[in-house]
Amino acid sequence: MTTLPPLREVIARHGLSASKALGQNFLFDEQLLDRIAAIPGSLEGEHVLEVGPGPGGLTRALLRAGAKVTAIEMDRRCLPALAEVEEAFPGQLKVIEGDAMKIAPATLFNGPYHIVANLPYNVGTALFTGWLSGEDWPPQWRSLTLMFQEEVARRIVATANISAYGRLAVLAQWRSQARLAMKVHRSAFTPPPKVMSAVVHVVPGAAPEGVSMRVLERVTEAAFGQRRKMLRQSLKGVPGALNALESLGIDPQRRAETLSVGEFVTIARALS
């Protein structure tokens, strides 16, 4: 491995600055980045997808951990800095210029892989839900280790009867285990975002039998789309839902945020 200059020096030399339009915020603290790279467990020889590497801070940490990294970056300004990282870690890094929203990860890997990313704020949730929404399960990815705004991270790991609980929690937890792995203070970033951040770690679990992903999405969309209303009102537009509540013994006067992930699964199973 060639010794790389400090990331701040690389950014200054290439005249880089974080793009607000692309939702960029750079991390320079190597110890912090190494801690993030350690969250999935040993990455020695593992394939990793990184989205939005920017100048390559987290990329370096993943490569130091022994990962074989495929990085998707749409900001052409960052490509020369990433090329230096690629040269320093021969055969370990492949950089793809493009939009991660338009690239299916399955086309990039022949076998299992991990996804580790400091996700751009403007597309993070959309990418996350896309990775979780496939009908085929278990997925090709082994784990997701993703940086979000702390508010979004708490919505992902939330449980019933708290305000953060909603569709995102059900999607993340009905056939996966999601945990808040670490918080990251806003001062760790350049430029500092207005809000705190947190890293979420998700591993796929067994999918409940007889449940369609599309049906579950339809039920949760209706239930949480009118979350202040009782289920008898919010679910009346979903064919068969009210009958399902009755047959399952779920009180139609309850509201969506009081139903556990398991209860949403039983409703979706009854309708699948």
Side-chain angles (χ1 to χ4, degrees):
M1 188 192 86
T2 306
T3 301
L4 283 164
L7 199 60
R8 289 184 186 276
E9 181 182 314
V10 172
I11 287 173
R13 178 157 41 86
H14 289 286
L16 296 175
S17 59
S19 165
K20 191 172 182 180
L22 295 176
Q24 291 175 333
N25 296 93
F26 298 154
L27 280 171
F28 296 120
D29 186 331
E30 286 195 0
Q31 288 187 330
L32 174 62
L33 291 164
D34 286 338
R35 285 173 58 203
I36 295 171
I39 289 171
S42 174
L43 291 177
E44 185 68 43
E46 295 284 320
H47 289 278
V48 171
L49 173 65
E50 184 187 6
V51 173
L58 180 57
T59 314
R60 294 181 181 200
L62 293 168
L63 295 169
R64 285 195 294 267
K68 297 177 180 178
V69 179
T70 299
I72 302 174
E73 179 57 67
M74 68 182 301
D75 186 353
R76 305 188 77 174
R77 301 175 307 149
C78 294
L79 298 181
L82 291 170
E84 294 179 16
V85 181
E86 193 171 1
E87 185 178 346
F89 291 85
Q92 269 188 264
L93 174 62
K94 178 182 180 182
V95 179
I96 297 172
E97 182 187 354
D99 183 351
M101 292 289 290
K102 299 177 181 178
I103 298 173
T107 63
L108 305 177
F109 302 95
N110 293 322
Y113 58 93
H114 301 266
I115 301 178
V116 184
N118 172 16
L119 288 176
Y121 281 172
N122 53 352
V123 295
T125 304
L127 285 168
F128 180 64
T129 55
W131 294 330
L132 285 169
S133 295
E135 286 285 355
D136 292 332
W137 203 263
Q140 195 176 343
W141 52 264
R142 283 181 170 167
S143 71
L144 307 174
T145 304
L146 306 172
M147 179 94 72
F148 292 99
Q149 296 179 23
E150 185 178 1
E151 177 188 353
V152 176
R154 292 197 177 281
R155 285 167 51 203
I156 291 168
V157 302
T159 53
N161 293 303
I162 65 174
S163 59
Y165 182 65
R167 293 181 63 200
L168 201 54
V170 177
L171 176 62
Q173 297 173 40
W174 78 282
R175 55 183 181 179
S176 302
Q177 290 83 48
R179 67 182 178 93
L180 201 156
M182 64 182 288
K183 297 179 185 178
V184 182
H185 197 275
R186 55 186 295 274
S187 62
F189 295 91
T190 300
K194 294 180 181 179
V195 296
M196 302 287 275
S197 297
V199 179
V200 170
H201 184 59
V202 180
V203 292
E209 293 185 5
V211 181
S212 162
M213 177 72 224
R214 292 178 183 176
V215 172
L216 182 66
E217 285 185 324
R218 191 159 70 241
V219 170
T220 54
E221 182 179 9
F224 288 107
Q226 303 181 68
R227 61 186 302 148
R228 292 182 178 274
K229 294 186 177 181
M230 296 177 185
L231 294 173
R232 67 185 184 194
Q233 286 295 321
S234 61
L235 293 183
K236 67 181 181 181
V238 179
L242 298 185
N243 288 335
L245 293 179
E246 184 178 356
S247 65
L248 295 168
I250 296 174
D251 186 351
Q253 296 190 72
R254 290 170 64 184
R255 291 178 172 82
E257 68 266 19
T258 71
L259 268 65
S260 68
V261 173
E263 286 177 308
F264 276 111
V265 167
T266 61
I267 295 170
R269 180 183 289 116
L271 298 175
S272 291

